[in-house]
Amino acid sequence: MSVLQPVRGTHDLLPDEARRHRLVEEIAFDVARRYGFGEIITPIFEFTEVFSRNLGETTDVVSKEMYSFTDRSGEGLTLRPEGTAGVARAFISGGLSQHLPLKLFYRGPMFRYERPQKGRLRQFHQLGVELLGVEGSQADVEVIALAAHILEALGLKDNVRLELNSLGDAASRANYRDALVAYLSGRKDQLSKDSLERMERNPLRVLDSKDESDRQVVADAPLMQDYLNDESRRFFDEVQNGLAAAGVPVTLNSRLVRGLDYYCHTAFEFTTTALGAQGTVLAGGRYDGLIGQMGGPATPGIGWAAGIERLSMLFAGEAPVVRPLVLIPMGTADAAVGLAQRLRHAGFTVETGYSGNMKKRLARANKVNARAAIILGEEEWARQAVAVRDLDSGEQEEVPLAALEDRLSRFR
Ligand code: ATP
Ligand code: MG
């Protein structure tokens, strides 16, 4: 361990990467606003029970991935591994049930103790949405269409595929669970140790196993779609029809389950083949029972979350960079400080080299891709003027100070 290295599974977003990261967030939020979503910012840690009771104790996240600790007054706290439980908790604590339907967007760091790999970190970032208070399938259609729209705005439309499934209502899921357990029970010798345990406690999650032998067993398992009751089937049909009307292409995948326990009906993932094993960029589903189960007023919900690092790796766009103006003082240092402040307050991006002769400062101006240099020569300054050099054309002219902002406006 070297304390000069970032902690395993964490990474620094150095300026270039930070700019991409923020751009991805901004593009996403900009699209989400058009659908009426507003931002919610919840704490990065919560009481451990917010997650342990609600995500499902047999899920990977709760059973082995949480960063939990006891604080100095003995409270059991956990760094949030995902966003939905905290948003649901905030909805209840904030008494927001008077304001339904509610459309919330969030972004920020999440923490999971996992084996770090490309696209898999211990501190990573998600952006996500939650739509609370709508029972009907229009909500499912809208949040999935929003996800597709965001991915399109990021230029990823052709890199991703929407996979969709229905987990049905509780009754459908119970029927399916029985059928699945009966099937798996006959093939215990082929199942991994993890899946044997899942079979006892949460059999649907066997479908999600990444173990090769498990996958072979799962390939012939009964299909959820054959166990949906009429109501669940109708809901699923409505979602598919709505997505067709919204122009969002869908691939049905009846093995798709979600890693957390609170989901029902709609489950979906946008996957890519461009990131190796970490193929899911955005995932979500409907969670009608969650808020009630947490002790709040029964409130339906649906949402999704996307990994910003995974989006960033796929995103080819460039953040627009403002080309600065560079001030070059020639024995007029205080004057340059004053002028730099004046121009920044007027909205210009201004760099002042900190030292060096004219040549060195011009080289630096080149390096920061400056648009123009403003040279404060002593003689010009005595005449209340500066020299402005267009660094693209090389043209230079003398500009009276009084007309400076006006003359510089073409370099914005
Ligand atoms: P996976 O199967 O990859 O572990 P998951 O089902 O645990 O994913 P979710 O809880 O659905 O993931 O999180 C939604 C999204 O957040 C994922 O699709 C992914 O883009 C991102 N994500 C999840 N865990 C990590 C991580 N450890 N590092 C980076 N991104 C992550
Ligand atoms: Mg995971």
Side-chain angles (χ1 to χ4, degrees):
M1 180 194 86
S2 159
V3 291
L4 295 182
Q5 292 295 317
V7 173
R8 184 165 147 81
T10 69
H11 68 155
D12 299 307
L13 293 168
L14 299 177
D16 281 345
E17 222 177 325
R19 205 166 50 234
R20 289 167 67 76
H21 185 101
R22 289 295 186 212
L23 183 61
V24 167
E25 275 183 6
E26 278 314 310
I27 290 172
F29 189 25
D30 184 53
V31 176
R33 275 195 205 97
R34 292 187 232 167
Y35 290 67
F37 284 75
E39 188 165 15
I40 182 168
I41 304 175
T42 65
I44 281 172
F45 52 85
E46 298 274 353
F47 290 118
T48 293
E49 289 74 31
V50 169
F51 308 111
S52 63
R53 286 212 201 125
N54 298 304
L55 310 192
E57 49 177 321
T58 62
T59 59
D60 285 351
V61 169
V62 171
S63 63
K64 50 191 187 204
E65 295 176 359
M66 294 210 300
Y67 275 94
S68 299
F69 61 100
T70 308
D71 78 359
R72 289 170 191 277
S73 55
E75 301 284 11
L77 305 177
T78 292
L79 300 181
R80 62 183 186 192
E82 56 98 57
T84 304
V87 169
R89 197 272 311 137
F91 170 82
I92 300 169
S93 345
L96 296 181
S97 58
Q98 306 307 312
H99 303 278
L100 295 173
L102 206 56
K103 299 177 178 183
L104 303 169
F105 175 92
Y106 64 84
R107 50 181 148 178
M110 305 290 164
F111 305 84
R112 297 184 192 181
Y113 190 82
E114 309 202 57
R115 197 165 67 77
Q117 308 160 52
K118 183 178 170 222
R120 189 174 294 285
L121 291 147
R122 290 182 175 176
Q123 175 174 337
F124 61 103
H125 298 78
Q126 285 184 339
L127 55 87
V129 303
E130 314 292 354
L131 202 177
L132 303 178
V134 182
E135 245 166 56
S137 58
Q138 316 91 294
D140 308 55
V141 172
E142 191 169 74
V143 300
I144 296 173
L146 167 58
H149 192 161
I150 288 173
L151 293 168
E152 185 182 343
L154 291 170
L156 307 183
K157 192 177 173 183
D158 298 331
N159 294 0
V160 296
R161 184 164 91 160
L162 167 59
E163 298 186 31
L164 182 73
N165 193 20
S166 171
L167 305 173
D169 59 9
S172 305
R173 230 165 23 260
N175 283 338
Y176 177 61
R177 189 189 155 111
D178 292 346
L180 182 64
V181 170
Y183 169 83
L184 295 174
S185 298
R187 288 160 186 80
K188 279 187 180 164
D189 51 329
Q190 290 158 263
L191 290 176
S192 68
K193 197 167 139 279
D194 276 352
S195 282
L196 284 172
E197 202 176 302
R198 290 182 189 120
M199 196 183 102
E200 301 297 327
R201 304 175 64 181
N202 191 350
L204 260 63
R205 296 223 28 260
V206 175
L207 301 180
D208 204 21
S209 171
K210 280 150 190 149
D211 179 273
E212 200 35 55
S213 173
D214 288 346
R215 288 176 100 106
Q216 284 174 20
V217 175
V218 163
D220 296 321
L223 297 177
M224 181 76 225
Q225 67 195 45
D226 298 328
Y227 292 81
L228 295 180
N229 56 22
D230 289 349
E231 185 138 349
S232 300
R233 153 83 28 220
R234 189 171 64 238
F235 193 91
F236 193 27
D237 286 344
E238 282 173 16
V239 173
Q240 291 175 59
N241 293 338
L243 287 171
V248 179
V250 168
T251 305
L252 296 184
N253 174 359
S254 58
R255 313 245 176 256
L256 191 153
V257 289
R258 303 281 306 119
L260 309 177
D261 270 2
Y262 48 58
Y263 290 105
C264 61
H265 291 293
T266 310
F268 58 95
E269 292 188 350
F270 284 83
T271 58
T272 176
T273 53
L275 293 178
Q278 272 55 255
T280 306
V281 294
L282 184 155
R286 182 169 270 278
Y287 49 86
D288 291 347
L290 176 65
I291 291 175
Q293 168 194 322
M294 286 177 88
T299 308
I302 178 160
W304 52 255
I308 301 179
E309 284 80 5
R310 293 188 196 174
L311 293 177
S312 256
M313 280 191 279
L314 296 170
F315 177 60
E318 274 295 332
V321 185
V322 179
R323 295 179 66 190
L325 304 172
V326 168
L327 278 193
I328 301 182
M330 307 291 294
T332 44
D334 281 348
V337 172
L339 187 59
Q341 289 308 94
R342 170 176 147 187
L343 292 175
R344 288 166 179 156
H345 280 94
F348 294 96
T349 301
V350 179
E351 295 254 15
T352 59
Y354 297 102
S355 62
N357 58 19
M358 175 91 160
K359 190 169 161 220
K360 218 166 152 188
R361 285 169 185 265
L362 278 173
R364 167 81 192 159
N366 243 331
K367 196 159 173 213
V368 298
N369 193 25
R371 181 65 186 83
I374 301 165
I375 303 157
L376 283 75
E378 269 168 305
E379 275 174 35
E380 289 95 335
W381 191 254
R383 291 197 290 275
Q384 292 286 297
V386 291
V388 173
R389 184 184 298 183
D390 182 328
L391 291 175
D392 286 352
S393 70
E395 274 166 40
Q396 184 165 321
E397 61 170 341
E398 188 170 315
V399 178
L401 280 176
L404 189 59
E405 281 86 348
D406 207 38
R407 200 69 67 85
L408 291 175
S409 59
R410 66 193 157 109
F411 296 133
R412 270 196 211 264

